[in-house]
Amino acid sequence: MTRSAGWFGETGKVGFYHRNKLFGEGFDDEIFDGRPVIGIANSWSQLAPCNVHLRRVAEAVHDGILAAGGVPLEFNTMSLGETLMRPTAMLFRNLMAMEVEETLRANPLDGVVLLSSCDKTTPAMVMGAASADLPAVLVTGGPSLPGRFQGRPMASGTDVWRISEEVRAGRLPESEFRYAERCNSRGNGHCNTMGTASTMASITEAMGLQLPTSASALALDAERFRIATRAGARAVELARAGIPMSTFLTRESFENAVRVNAALGGSTNAVVHLLAMAGRAEVPLSLEDIDRLSRDVPLLADLLPSGRFLMPEFHEAGGVPALVAELGALLHQDLPTVSGMTLREVGAAARRERDDVIRPLADPVQPAGSALAVLRGSLAPDGAVIKQSAASPGLLKHRGRALVFDSIEEYTDRIDDPDIEVDAETVLVLRNSGPRGYPGMPEVGNLALPKRLLQRGITDMVRISDARMSGTSYGTVVLHVAPEAAVGGPLALVRDGDEIELDVPGRRLDLLVGTEELQRRRQEWVPSAPLETRGWTRLYVEHVLQADRGADLDFLVGRSGSAVGRRST
Ligand code: FES
């Protein structure tokens, strides 16, 4: 018996209520004859521009479900537009995940196709669906076609950081910066660099949650719609076979995700999302696992922000299946995927066209050990993260004096003050920007360099914070410091002029201040009052976990299951 029969197979008044309004929608008896009912969880929204084309993608999913003998029921989910939401889309990732979970549990669905695109929408869909644990297929929105600016392709995000620093240094007029806005992309889709959206799409494909090449096919390419149609059909088959999402969310598939992320030079945000997804799936995964599993993987994908190319070239090179084939024994190859093939079979079927974009293991972009590193030390007892491939090699071992900012607003106000004491050796410290402190852990960790240093040709400095940074960004930026300052982590005790030592090869981040002095400062420390005291933000601040636990809410970790509950009609 299907799960949906728990609703539609009812007799009497209860059955009447469950069925009659669907007749009103135009469905006929076949929806009630036991065929799989497949939800299409659509995060389409004009407030999330990277997801806006999912309305069209959903039509293709509908076709696939119908062709395979299922019944499609589409519904909207919350959506999270990275570029518009304030204070940060990350504040709402867990809310969207909770909404997805509850919608799946509360309705007569036998399976679901999850449609996501912009950064947070993919982990939110996976987290919610993992907790509900129905049969599920994920379809991400695909990257946008790059626009052109000053004679070359414009890389989403990465070029914005670069060009804005050119403006700050006085080398590019503001009018050109404004003109670049319309060159950023040539249509729908998510950022076309290996930013967070491309990273989350790629690693979920490698985990087996998406069909082959789903992560890299361009948003409006016909291939995206073929993939969406097949995804609809596969969701029906998974529902018929009773194969839940947890089949694909295993310790081995998370290990693969970490290794694929390292080979891609993927976003630091993947760390916090993977930890949260693993928590939902009840799979043990720690920061130490992520550091250890990343160490022996070379950077193979020559993609911005760590390399040269964009997502269209990655797709041309065979996308995730080609990368999986190249990584070979570094991955668990015999894992199932929603396609019905094992990962090994997916890799074997890959078209591998450009080894300048996905490089051979023997000739990588950067050698093993250049991926994400997890640091610990007196400044980050519970961990911090740095993306080595996007950092300056000369700064990976560095000792400098701290210049501390209590908020991003204070940073913006003061950093270009001509009297501020800063030089290329200074370590810029930003605090109160973690999950609870901001709240929502915004992408502000890649602090813009002081204008005065930019004008002297300085292009990188060590920056440390409890914030995140955009996956499209770069620099020697230490992020996700835990515990964050707002809960009394050592970051709260740093003062201007303190010495900080960064040692990435040794995986250390230390505040060189004596224990007694730190104890004295701790006694003086006063936690700041929360900025918001109502609604979702209040719930979030009261329950959010630290970055090393994925910044999920404490009461949402784990699976709820999709059992049919009590009925009110
Ligand atoms: Fe949506 Fe970059 S802004 S993916």
Side-chain angles (χ1 to χ4, degrees):
M1 191 173 102
T2 59
R3 180 173 179 270
S4 59
W7 279 259
F8 300 137
E10 293 273 14
T11 55
K13 185 165 68 72
V14 172
F16 179 100
Y17 273 120
H18 286 327
R19 292 184 294 268
N20 80 98
K21 287 290 185 183
L22 286 167
F23 280 119
E25 273 191 47
F27 286 98
D28 213 334
D29 282 326
E30 77 273 1
I31 192 173
F32 310 122
D33 71 359
R35 60 186 75 194
V37 177
I38 306 297
I40 305 174
N42 196 346
S43 57
W44 169 83
S45 167
Q46 284 187 302
L47 292 173
C50 305
N51 296 41
V52 81
H53 60 302
L54 295 179
R55 273 207 293 199
R56 289 178 57 195
V57 174
E59 289 169 15
V61 177
H62 266 266
D63 293 346
I65 294 170
L66 285 170
V71 178
L73 289 181
E74 183 180 346
F75 57 94
N76 285 112
T77 67
M78 186 181 188
S79 199
L80 310 175
E82 198 64 31
T83 53
L84 296 179
M85 290 190 95
R86 290 183 177 179
T88 165
M90 182 64 174
L91 176 62
F92 306 103
R93 182 201 63 180
N94 302 335
L95 180 60
M96 179 173 166
M98 188 160 73
E99 189 222 25
V100 169
E101 175 185 346
E102 299 301 353
T103 304
L104 296 181
R105 295 182 73 210
N107 284 289
L109 301 171
D110 300 304
V112 64
V113 178
L114 308 161
L115 301 185
S116 65
S117 191
C118 198
D119 290 14
K120 310 298 176 294
T121 56
T122 295
M125 284 284 192
V126 173
M127 289 162 65
S131 283
D133 202 23
L134 287 174
V137 179
L138 175 68
V139 181
T140 50
S144 58
L145 198 59
R148 293 185 74 80
F149 177 63
Q150 296 187 332
R152 55 179 223 178
M154 191 161 169
S156 315
T158 307
D159 273 337
V160 182
W161 314 124
R162 185 182 61 77
I163 295 170
S164 66
E165 302 238 309
E166 291 290 294
V167 175
R168 284 170 53 74
R171 291 190 286 267
L172 191 78
E174 183 72 32
S175 57
E176 277 295 277
F177 190 55
R178 288 297 303 269
Y179 178 73
E181 287 173 17
R182 66 199 63 216
C183 306
N184 202 28
S185 74
R186 273 152 56 205
N188 299 149
H190 60 66
C191 289
N192 49 42
T193 39
M194 187 45 72
T196 305
S198 299
T199 300
M200 294 311 298
S202 300
I203 65 180
T204 52
E205 184 184 321
M207 293 174 83
L209 301 177
Q210 299 207 64
L211 295 179
T213 73
S214 178
S216 58
L218 284 174
L220 294 182
D221 194 308
E223 182 65 7
R224 167 117 341 258
F225 298 95
R226 284 192 287 271
I227 289 168
T229 305
R230 284 201 297 274
R234 280 301 298 160
V236 174
E237 288 156 16
L238 292 171
R240 277 207 186 98
I243 299 174
M245 195 181 197
S246 52
T247 306
F248 309 100
L249 294 173
T250 60
R251 168 75 189 191
E252 289 77 14
S253 72
F254 276 97
E255 291 186 355
N256 281 355
V258 171
R259 291 206 142 141
V260 166
N261 189 48
L264 287 170
S267 166
T268 46
N269 288 322
V271 173
V272 78
H273 297 321
L274 275 172
L275 291 167
M277 286 160 49
R280 296 302 186 100
E282 300 178 0
V283 168
L285 187 74
S286 68
L287 279 175
E288 272 56 46
D289 292 328
I290 292 173
D291 186 86
R292 180 178 51 79
L293 290 160
S294 303
R295 277 185 190 240
D296 55 354
V297 183
L299 176 64
L300 297 185
D302 196 353
L303 299 172
L304 283 157
S306 300
R308 295 177 294 166
F309 298 104
L310 295 172
M311 287 301 283
E313 285 89 12
F314 181 60
H315 187 61
E316 229 180 289
V320 170
L323 189 71
V324 161
E326 193 56 49
L327 284 168
L330 283 169
L331 300 181
H332 303 284
Q333 292 277 354
D334 293 317
L335 301 187
T337 73
V338 292
S339 69
M341 296 187 280
T342 64
L343 200 59
R344 185 187 308 282
E345 290 165 338
V346 168
R351 284 185 68 87
R352 302 169 67 179
E353 305 242 336
R354 290 187 56 174
D355 66 7
D356 57 334
V357 181
I358 299 177
R359 300 268 280 270
L361 265 177
D363 180 27
V365 184
Q366 292 188 30
S370 55
L372 295 174
V374 174
L375 313 171
R376 286 191 193 262
S378 59
L379 191 51
D382 292 341
V385 168
I386 185 169
K387 183 174 177 176
Q388 298 180 85
S389 60
S392 301
L395 289 174
L396 293 177
K397 270 176 88 82
H398 180 82
R399 188 189 273 216
R401 298 212 172 268
L403 179 60
V404 184
F405 301 89
D406 282 324
S407 69
I408 188 65
E409 290 79 10
E410 186 203 335
Y411 180 84
T412 309
D413 287 347
R414 283 181 56 209
I415 195 59
D416 289 331
D417 180 340
D419 295 330
I420 201 165
E421 285 193 27
V422 65
D423 58 32
E425 307 303 310
T426 303
V427 175
L428 301 175
V429 175
L430 172 70
R431 62 187 169 206
N432 300 317
S433 297
R436 194 179 297 185
Y438 192 73
M441 206 184 176
E443 292 183 340
V444 294
N446 55 318
L447 301 166
L449 300 196
K451 202 183 271 184
R452 175 158 110 230
L453 298 186
L454 283 170
Q455 285 164 344
R456 280 175 35 205
I458 307 293
T459 55
D460 197 7
M461 294 170 72
V462 174
R463 291 156 270 178
I464 298 173
S465 73
D466 44 15
R468 296 176 302 116
M469 76 171 181
S470 163
T472 61
S473 191
Y474 52 86
T476 311
V477 184
V478 178
L479 302 153
H480 310 184
V481 169
E484 63 176 300
V487 299
L491 201 63
L493 309 180
V494 186
R495 299 206 174 152
D496 284 351
D498 286 350
E499 272 208 299
I500 292 177
E501 184 162 32
L502 171 67
D503 175 6
V504 178
R507 299 299 194 262
R508 299 286 306 177
L509 181 65
D510 288 298
L511 176 61
L512 306 180
V513 174
T515 319
E516 274 181 29
E517 170 63 13
L518 284 179
Q519 268 169 358
R520 194 182 61 73
R521 291 183 193 178
R522 181 164 298 288
Q523 278 160 4
E524 289 171 8
W525 178 71
V526 182
S528 42
L531 294 174
E532 295 267 359
T533 54
R534 53 169 285 133
W536 167 253
T537 306
R538 177 171 173 170
L539 191 67
Y540 177 91
V541 166
E542 287 175 359
H543 291 279
V544 70
L545 298 166
Q546 290 293 285
D548 62 311
R549 304 268 318 270
D552 201 357
L553 300 196
D554 51 11
F555 61 83
L556 290 176
V557 174
R559 279 200 287 267
S560 55
S562 60
V564 179
R566 297 169 69 185
R567 62 191 192 212
S568 61
T569 52

